[in-house]
Amino acid sequence: RKYTLLGMDDLFIDFAGVRNQNHPVRNAIKGLITGHNLQLELRNGHLELVDSQGVSVARLSTQAKAKWEAQHKDVQEARVLAIVRRYITGIQDDQFRQSCEGDAWELTIVELVT
């Protein structure tokens, strides 16, 4: 087995941030705990990590998608390692910051097993 950590560079870190505070994505992330299993799925041209209820809780970055797209079906497990809080004050681009909702949101750090 091969274990790969999907870190901050591998994720669209503002995936939850561009959704409203009561969006199913944000609510699903709040329900995750370390060890939860996810699925890596191709959805609408993006690779997304999906919980057991079918809600996308993370999206891979463009760079990570290019790496994993051809082999995403080889992933045997996708396991939550941590939940990280991102603050709006960390966004440098003023225009993009305006598209985000709230002061903070969480993102999911995951380990893939192939």
Side-chain angles (χ1 to χ4, degrees):
R1 290 186 169 195
K2 182 179 175 184
Y3 298 84
T4 305
L5 173 69
L6 293 183
M8 303 286 268
D9 290 339
D10 299 308
L11 300 169
F12 170 31
I13 60 176
D14 298 315
F15 181 67
V18 295
R19 288 158 175 77
N20 71 51
Q21 304 248 11
N22 293 315
H23 193 279
V25 166
R26 286 190 183 213
N27 292 331
I29 293 170
K30 288 177 185 175
L32 294 176
I33 59 170
T34 302
H36 267 170
N37 287 318
L38 304 171
Q39 296 294 320
L40 184 61
E41 295 182 6
L42 189 60
R43 290 187 167 186
N44 300 314
H46 301 283
L47 273 177
E48 297 185 354
L49 291 155
V50 179
D51 72 5
S52 61
Q53 303 301 309
V55 178
S56 294
V57 294
R59 177 177 291 162
L60 270 60
S61 66
T62 303
Q63 186 175 6
K65 179 190 172 209
K67 176 181 176 181
W68 286 98
E69 188 168 22
Q71 59 184 343
H72 79 278
K73 291 187 178 191
D74 297 334
V75 173
Q76 297 172 7
E77 292 181 59
R79 190 175 315 121
V80 175
L81 291 183
I83 306 295
V84 176
R85 179 160 283 196
R86 167 113 161 118
Y87 294 92
I88 198 163
T89 56
I91 298 174
Q92 301 299 317
D93 183 327
D94 291 334
Q95 187 173 2
F96 184 74
R97 187 181 315 120
Q98 292 176 10
S99 68
C100 294
E101 297 280 334
D103 295 331
W105 50 90
E106 289 75 32
L107 61 139
T108 310
I109 305 297
V110 175
E111 175 182 61
L112 298 181
V113 180
T114 52

